[in-house]
Amino acid sequence: MLAETIFSAVAAAGLGIAAITAYRKKYRSAARIAAYSLVPLGLVMTGAVRWAFDTAFSPVAWAGFGVLGAAWLLLATTRGAERRAGRKAAGGGAEPAAVAPGASAPAGNALGGRAPRAAAGGGASEDFSDIEAILKKHGI
């Protein structure tokens, strides 16, 4: 009973603020405020507030929420396991299979930049040398 009274008072206050806003010729804002202030009143009128109050103090309802949480956790876990198994079966490992091997190479030569490096044995250390130079430049 107290919750319904509070929600109704909030709705009345919101409608009053909407009326003041409309008086100031801000009709779009007034309509938005009125819409938000009618939500608590609608919840009271549909009985959702009473249902929520009864549910909040029911141990059976809380047990039901626990069961729903466990079901969601099982579904999320199995879905993640399916994705991981599908990725390993495709042979891609951590890399997506849809990306071409040379697609991520920079095209700096077209704009007058440096020539692309050869993918010889020391390619990985050369990639990090640029990053190390930038970090040293900023004192990191």
Side-chain angles (χ1 to χ4, degrees):
M1 182 78 171
L2 180 64
E4 285 92 357
T5 305
I6 291 172
F7 273 50
S8 299
V10 167
L15 289 174
I17 292 170
I20 292 170
T21 305
Y23 179 75
R24 294 180 181 168
K25 307 285 188 214
K26 297 179 180 178
Y27 298 114
R28 195 177 327 171
S29 295
R32 190 177 305 120
I33 293 169
Y36 281 127
S37 65
L38 288 175
V39 169
L41 186 63
L43 289 173
V44 167
M45 293 175 76
T46 59
V49 173
R50 182 174 301 277
W51 174 82
F53 185 77
D54 291 341
T55 302
F57 294 107
S58 170
V60 174
W62 283 106
F65 285 126
V67 168
L68 287 174
W72 178 84
L73 185 66
L74 283 171
L75 287 172
T77 304
T78 57
R79 187 169 179 110
E82 285 176 358
R83 285 184 179 172
R84 192 173 305 124
R87 197 179 311 148
K88 286 182 180 177
E95 239 179 76
V99 178
S104 62
N109 203 13
L111 298 175
R114 288 185 263 163
R117 294 185 179 122
S125 64
E126 292 177 4
D127 290 340
F128 289 114
S129 64
D130 292 341
I131 296 171
E132 289 176 6
I134 292 170
L135 292 174
K136 285 180 184 177
K137 177 182 171 187
H138 291 286
I140 298 175

